[in-house]
Structures are given as C-alpha cells and as structure tokens.
Amino acid sequence: MTGLNDYFFSKVKEGTMHMSLLDPEGLPPEKAAEIAKRVKAAGTDAFMIGGSTGVTSENLEAITVAVKEATGLPVIYFPSDPSAFTDKVDGMFFMSIVNSTDPNYIIGYHAMVAPFVRKLGLECISMAYIIVEPGMTVARISKAKCVERDDLVLAAGYALAAEYMGFKLIYLEAGSGADRPVPPEMIRAVKEAVKIPVIVGGGIRTPEAATAAREAGANAIVTGTFVENCENDSVLNAVVHAAKGI
Ligand code: 1GP
C-alpha cells in the first residue's frame, strides 16, 4: 500500500468512501476477521479500529492484525485511550475533539502521545472531530458540549475554524449507536463552509441514511454498530453500496 494519506486523499477524490469501524472491546479477532471479509466483499474501502472504552494495546493490535490478514485493506487507528497503541496499523487519525470541554481531549493527551507516535513511525492524518447530539458514549467520556442538531451555524463555524487551523479532515459524529445520524442539512452546511473532506458517522444503519449522508456531500461514511451486527449479506451490501453510490 502507498501511504495512508495518499490512499485516503486519492480515494475521496474518486467518490464517497465507506469505512468500517470495529471496536476491539469484547470483539474476538476471529470474529473481526470474519466481519472484515464480508464487509470487504460488500465494497468497504478501509477499516477504523477504536472505541470509547476498553481499548488496550493488546486488543487493538490483535484486531488490527486479524483485519489486515483477512482483507489487506488499510487499517486506521481511531484513538481514544492515550495508553493504547500499536505499530501494526497503517496510520492513525490524530484527532482533536474540538467541542470537548476537557482540554485533555482537545490537545492534552496529544502532547503526551505525540513523541510516542513519532517513535513508532505512525503516519497521521490530522482531524477535527465535532460531536453532534445525541453524542452517546464518546460525548460523555470526552465531556463534549454537543452541537445541537439544528445549530448548523455552529457546526459550520467549528469546521471552518478547524480548516483555518490546518486540520486536514472533519469528522461529524452523532455517536456510536445513535438513534439519529447527523442531519443531512448539517452535513450540507459544513460542506458549504469548508474545502477539506468531511467524514460522517454515528447511527447510520440503513441504505436511506447512507444515501442521505452521501447526497448531502459526505466524503466518507462510517458504519460501526451496523457492520458488527449485520448478519445478512444483502443488507450489508445495500448499506455499503448506498454509502458509495454504487
Ligand atoms: C462511531 O461514527 C462511528 O464513532 C460509528 O457509529 O456505531 O453508530 O455506526 P455507529
């Protein structure tokens, strides 16, 4: 594989990407490999590994190795716990939760881990992570002041500020397992505000929701809970295809 930055930024130029999020907490590597093979067959473009709780270097590395062996697709660390790391990933989202009220999640933990990331030689993509209501576990853990679902101006303001600050990517997050994904009109407002790619995730589990996010301009759509739980390959295909518009 070429570098993660090359892969990601050339892929989003081709069209909307689909990324599969796997949470290592309580996920056996064999099960991760099986899910990964099925979602690769459906057309997913990359894997993200991470979760808000229970991520350790051991389970992170085990899932990463299993997914890479099973698929050969890029695996991106989606960090939460500053003590969990592996050099087996293709790179990481070096992300700031810009609407956290806890400085640790904005830049504090980052200062602690940055020298270690350099030592491991991990490739990074800087990302501004914006948590939208309902926000779920990640909002609680990071003490985020969630963007209200109708506050398009604030969402666009965070995104534009992030672009001016040099972030390479925006992630609009409704929270894993959210009952409502990020509203399409918010995706549209953010896309109108910035030139950098926008990733959207949280609560997307139907072709309709994936289509709505893609048509609103999402450059990448993330599904986690859905890919981990979907046992029907035609439903899996339908959501991944809707995300990619294929
Ligand atoms: C969470 O956006 C991701 O960070 C995925 O959310 O588990 O609801 O798909 P879901």
Side-chain angles (χ1 to χ4, degrees), residues 99-129:
N99 60 330
S100 172
T101 61
D102 179 345
N104 280 316
Y105 288 92
I106 303 171
I107 197 165
Y109 290 137
H110 312 65
M112 285 165 49
V113 304
F116 191 58
V117 168
R118 185 165 67 178
K119 201 166 164 192
L120 289 180
L122 283 186
E123 192 173 333
C124 295
I125 304 182
S126 71
M127 181 165 87
Y129 188 78

Side-chain angles (χ1 to χ4, degrees), residues 21 78 129 171 173 175-177 201-203 222-225:
L21 172 65
F78 183 47
Y129 188 78
Y171 193 124
E173 171 69 275
S176 186
V222 180
T223 60
T225 310

